[in-house]
Amino acid sequence: MKNVYLPITVDHIARVEGKGGVEIVVGDDGVKEVKLNIIEGPRFFEAITLGKKLDEALSVYPRICSFCSAAHKLTALEAAEKAVGFTPREEIQALREVLYIGDMIESHALHLYLLVLPDYMGYSGPLHMVEEYKREIKTALDLKNLGSWIMDELGSRAIHQENAVLGGFGKLPDKSVLEEMKRRLKEALPKAEYTFELFTKLEQYEEVEGGPITHIAVKPRNGVYGIYGDYLKASDGNEFPSEEYREHIKEFVVEHSFAKHSHYHGKPFMVGAISRLVNNADTLYGRAKELYESHKDLLRPTNPFANNLAQALELVYFTERAIDLIDETLSKWPIRPRDEVEIRDGFGVSTTEAPPRGVLVYALKVENGRVSYADIITPTAFNLAMMEEHVRMMAEKHYNDDPERLKFFAEMVVRAYDPCISCSVHVARL
């Protein structure tokens, strides 16, 4: 008698950004196939910007995603400035990092409380949790609103920020706004710590723990845990300049996805908060370093669910980091908002840590003041192959369970990566 193969499908993964599904093909002797079906249509953002003036292209890139718009704007901006041979002053770099951290705080809070926590509390979504978990929902909104306000003040709006421009900022907030920002960040620190303590109590499913995972992250500048860097660092001990990313990481098309998959030296790999800790935990400082040292046994590099706890730890770290960056800026106040940038021909690559999903790559070539080449690789495109592997591992442990239970666990694995599907699909070539 032939084996009977039955597909178990999730048409739409709930509580992730963008539209994607899961298909698990099961026979009477086990799991035969697992696919992450990324079915949101491609949008060709790289091609759209070819031939556009550089400043016009820099206004297009944030439209790739409203959730990650500051990440796309600031990474594209740095790639453009590298291409034309311009380096911003330290105080401008510091304020840009604060803007980026606003995105990090908002995105981490949204993911942890509103997308992940309902799974653990037995709810289909955060709205159903309000009565029983008022403190958690209020904490989520307080942190999310803080991140959004920071982006509004420094970027001119909470999404698709236009105030970050070549050479600096279009304008800077008053000194009093930065002082208020520092005060509100200090008030948020206990909420960030509460988030970390909450997530130390949540299960990390051992079903998805297998052999070692290669983790890749940006090597932070100046030896301080952060967002920007000029090298990529892998957990196998390899480091290479950002400009060499194509020599080590290969994208390839898979039939079931509008987003490409990626391999590092021929194998799947992971990026994200846990990958940042695996590679750069020695550069943490402050309260986050203390929490890391006391809970590092829970931050297991072989378990994707540890990514949730790693994000919670980063809420503490980046809140503290933003306070320090504001202090540094205020010590130099007043500062010029921008410097003139001479637009020259050139090629530039920027690698940053896009909140909260991991390494974001922008490579731009400028000729005659216009973009002549653009290559963008998003964290979700890096993660998809590894994510599919972990869904398979979960399915192999639960394929004999009730199908609804298997679907639930498969979705939990995907949500642990916090994929941004909309970001990923623009790279498809049909």
Side-chain angles (χ1 to χ4, degrees):
M1 181 177 177
K2 292 183 178 180
N3 290 332
V4 177
Y5 298 149
L6 299 174
I8 298 170
T9 61
V10 178
D11 291 327
H12 179 69
I13 303 168
R15 284 177 276 125
V16 299
E17 203 288 318
K19 184 170 177 56
V22 178
E23 181 178 307
I24 302 168
V25 180
V26 177
D28 54 14
D29 57 348
V31 176
K32 297 299 178 184
E33 189 173 34
V34 171
K35 297 177 182 177
L36 288 177
N37 297 318
I38 306 304
I39 50 183
E40 187 166 323
R43 294 172 291 153
F44 306 111
F45 270 86
E46 292 145 319
I48 288 171
T49 59
L50 296 183
K52 288 190 179 296
K53 291 181 180 180
L54 186 56
D55 57 350
E56 292 176 355
L58 291 172
S59 290
V60 172
Y61 295 127
R63 270 71 182 176
I64 288 174
C65 180
S66 61
F67 285 91
C68 314
S69 58
H72 283 283
K73 181 60 177 279
L74 293 169
T75 310
L77 191 57
E78 181 177 76
E81 289 175 341
K82 284 186 173 183
V84 301
F86 175 84
T87 302
R89 283 173 281 118
E90 288 184 0
E91 54 267 34
I92 294 299
Q93 293 182 42
L95 283 178
R96 284 182 179 175
E97 188 169 349
V98 175
L99 170 57
Y100 213 134
I101 287 172
D103 202 351
M104 188 76 78
I105 291 172
E106 180 191 41
S107 195
H108 277 7
L110 184 152
H111 174 240
L112 293 173
Y113 280 104
L114 305 184
L115 307 185
V116 168
L117 196 59
D119 288 333
Y120 287 94
M121 302 308 178
Y123 289 90
S124 60
L127 292 178
H128 303 289
M129 296 171 54
V130 172
E131 287 301 317
E132 189 173 355
Y133 294 98
K134 291 180 179 178
R135 179 180 181 182
E136 286 74 16
I137 296 300
K138 185 177 187 306
T139 300
L141 295 178
D142 287 348
L143 290 170
K144 184 181 180 301
N145 290 340
L146 172 60
S148 180
W149 176 72
I150 290 171
M151 289 188 286
D152 197 19
E153 291 295 336
L154 287 173
S156 76
R157 60 180 74 168
I159 61 171
H160 308 326
Q161 294 79 13
E162 294 291 348
N163 192 42
V165 297
L166 287 167
F169 290 88
K171 64 177 182 179
L172 291 176
D174 293 337
K175 182 179 180 182
S176 61
V177 173
L178 292 178
E179 290 170 340
E180 172 68 6
M181 200 174 289
K182 177 182 172 181
R183 184 190 68 78
R184 290 177 65 169
L185 284 160
K186 284 185 174 181
E187 285 185 351
L189 267 174
K191 298 171 186 176
E193 285 200 44
Y194 173 76
T195 305
F196 181 77
E197 293 300 328
L198 172 63
F199 274 78
T200 61
K201 300 177 175 67
L202 302 184
E203 184 175 358
Q204 296 180 24
Y205 293 88
E206 295 181 356
E207 295 97 313
V208 291
E209 289 200 38
I213 298 172
T214 298
H215 292 271
I216 295 180
V218 170
K219 182 180 181 180
R221 287 179 189 152
N222 306 318
V224 178
Y225 194 98
I227 290 164
Y228 287 94
D230 302 306
Y231 288 79
L232 291 175
K233 185 177 181 181
S235 56
D236 63 3
N238 191 24
E239 293 181 14
F240 51 92
S242 299
E243 291 77 9
E244 297 177 5
Y245 71 99
R246 283 290 183 189
E247 297 177 24
H248 301 270
I249 298 170
K250 304 298 183 185
E251 286 186 294
F252 56 94
V253 174
V254 293
E255 291 183 356
H256 57 276
S257 173
F258 278 128
K260 294 179 183 178
H261 283 203
S262 303
H263 279 175
Y264 166 75
H265 295 173
K267 295 181 179 180
F269 63 100
M270 187 171 181
V271 300
I274 188 62
S275 301
R276 291 190 283 269
L277 287 179
V278 168
N279 285 291
N280 299 319
D282 59 332
T283 63
L284 289 168
Y285 66 85
R287 180 60 176 151
K289 183 175 180 63
E290 295 173 4
L291 292 172
Y292 172 79
E293 293 296 339
S294 60
H295 293 85
K296 69 170 67 172
D297 59 316
L298 296 177
L299 291 158
R300 300 195 292 273
T302 57
N303 192 318
F305 286 97
N307 196 53
N308 294 324
L309 185 59
Q311 286 187 9
L313 180 70
E314 286 192 338
L315 271 176
V316 178
Y317 175 80
F318 282 113
T319 302
E320 287 187 300
R321 177 68 178 153
I323 293 168
D324 292 343
L325 288 167
I326 291 170
D327 275 340
E328 290 175 18
T329 304
L330 290 175
S331 70
K332 301 174 182 178
W333 202 264
I335 63 173
R336 298 191 312 278
R338 65 178 296 190
D339 295 306
E340 289 300 316
V341 178
E342 181 184 353
I343 306 299
R344 297 179 290 183
D345 291 355
F347 176 76
V349 175
S350 175
T351 52
T352 69
E353 291 288 344
R357 300 166 180 96
V359 178
L360 173 63
V361 176
Y362 266 75
L364 299 177
K365 186 176 182 180
V366 179
E367 292 181 294
N368 299 317
R370 297 177 183 270
V371 174
S372 62
Y373 171 85
D375 186 33
I376 305 166
I377 311 181
T378 64
T380 297
F382 284 142
N383 272 332
L384 279 172
M386 194 76 250
M387 200 185 308
E388 211 167 70
E389 287 288 317
H390 280 127
V391 173
R392 173 184 284 276
M393 291 170 69
M394 184 65 86
E396 287 172 345
K397 297 292 185 180
H398 292 281
Y399 74 92
N400 279 323
D401 291 359
D402 177 273
E404 293 305 313
R405 178 174 168 82
L406 174 54
K407 290 180 186 180
F408 172 74
F409 282 133
E411 287 196 61
M412 282 193 74
V413 173
V414 173
R415 278 192 283 272
Y417 279 84
D418 193 13
C420 186
I421 292 169
S422 294
C423 282
S424 69
V425 296
H426 74 279
V427 298
R429 301 283 192 265
L430 299 183

